[in-house]
Amino acid sequence: SSSGAGMPKPEAHRAGKQRGGRGAWRRRHRGMAAKEVGAEGGSVVPNASWWSDEQVMLPGGLMCPKPPPYAAAKPQLPTGLASAETPRLTAELAKKHASKDNLLIATYVNFNRLDFALTLVMHLLAMGNPHYLVGAMDDQVGHALASRGVNTFFMSTGLTTRDTGWGTPAFRQLGLHKANLVLELARTGVDCLTVDADALLLRDPFPYLRALPDADVLTSSDYLVATNGYADEGLEGRSAFGAAFNIGYIFVRATAVEFVKRWSKACHRDPNAWDQNLFKSILHSGGRRGRSSAPTAGNPRLQPMFTTSEGRQLMVGVLPVSLFASGHTHFVSRMAHLMHTTPYMVHTTFQYGGAQGKRHRLREGMMWEDGPEYYAKPQFLAYELDLPYSLVYPNGGKPGSDGTVPFGQRTTVEQHFALVHHQLRQLRNALALAQATGRVLILPRLVCGLD
């Protein structure tokens, strides 16, 4: 797994997880042999897969954990296309790109997050869903998107082309523009799924949305509990309505335009307030004055909330946190992994490294789309972690195929640090070796006993 390093591999079967191994798999994923992962002999814990307990064989005999479907090679976007003037959002443009049943996906980026939009679009095209639009928040990103053949429109924001860090004034201003965008999309008459660019789509969401024809508004959530367990892929239960909504992934039908208008007005009236909190508070307004105070008979997990001027209550649902995942429920709780399924969406929340931290987490999760030059430019150095069973599972218990143990065998704080420090010593030595040899160190997947 080192590029030209000429170093022996003590356990070559785990090379595919590293940067070079993943690139090799993406180029040659067809025709691989597969086998079940059995119990490891000796005292070293094998590297867990995010997807299954199978391993696959690469050309040349190297083995790696079976990658998830969304890591497969994707259609490449064209380059160097003529960049015409980016159009404004109109009803005609929205309906041109919407599906036959009026569904559309929309996101928005500045130039700093161009690669997020390109990655998202490549995932959409790979799943056979071309029904999307990307809002260009500045001229620079508008030209860049058009040159790659991306369906785009211009948003006049006047905001920075750099990263809008969470909680900054630019972040607050971005919330105003997002509310405006959702309102403009609702006014076009399309039923739109609006997503943040760092909320990647890994499965086509349209079948899930079509199965909820009574829903006017659907939102993701920062709730950390799957209210109906992992065997249930339906909407979250009533208790999820008390948790924080996350509007990085919201589905709003055109029938909810009156709600969106009031939300947008509230955002502009109080520009220092968090648009996400205002979204929830406006939805809750008027929940008891409408014609119905009980959940719809069509889907009991939809709740009547905002009351329109005509007295109709909008039906609102909270998407399952396991399949429309936050950064915590996917990367830490690993809910979809425990369900042995692919989530529809993964949002890189619950991390504090800015845009670079988001890229890193998506790359480690095999969701990010890097160009070939990322794998080929410098000389690399990779190593396999020594992970003794006595440190990873210090309290005994037979781990399942997903690496978990019964709650009674959980690690203590002291055991967690013993495990982490053992790995940090190895990382220190590897970094020194990389510096001495002038190579780029590829970080292994570190194993933690606690969050």
Side-chain angles (χ1 to χ4, degrees), residues 106-110 133-137 155 174 178 181 194-197:
T107 190
Y108 51 95
V109 289
N110 64 3
L133 281 171
V134 179
M137 297 171 59
M155 295 171 60
L174 180 60
K178 177 176 183 175
L181 173 60
T194 305
V195 302
D196 289 354

Side-chain angles (χ1 to χ4, degrees), residues 43-116:
S43 60
V44 178
V45 176
N47 194 4
S49 167
W50 285 98
W51 170 245
S52 76
D53 56 359
E54 286 187 335
Q55 292 182 347
V56 292
M57 181 179 293
L58 300 173
L62 292 178
M63 301 297 297
C64 75
K66 181 181 179 180
Y70 48 78
K74 297 175 180 59
Q76 296 298 301
L77 299 175
T79 58
L81 298 180
S83 178
E85 183 177 355
T86 307
R88 296 279 184 168
L89 179 62
T90 63
E92 181 182 10
L93 182 68
K95 291 177 180 178
K96 172 185 175 182
H97 292 287
S99 64
K100 291 182 179 179
D101 55 350
N102 208 40
L103 297 177
L104 181 70
I105 298 167
T107 190
Y108 51 95
V109 289
N110 64 3
F111 188 72
N112 182 69
R113 299 205 178 188
L114 169 65
D115 49 356
F116 284 86

Side-chain angles (χ1 to χ4, degrees), residues 50 322-323 329-330 333-343:
W50 285 98
S322 57
L323 300 180
T329 59
H330 183 77
S333 302
R334 302 187 307 147
M335 290 185 180
H337 175 71
L338 297 176
M339 296 167 70
H340 289 275
T341 191
T342 299

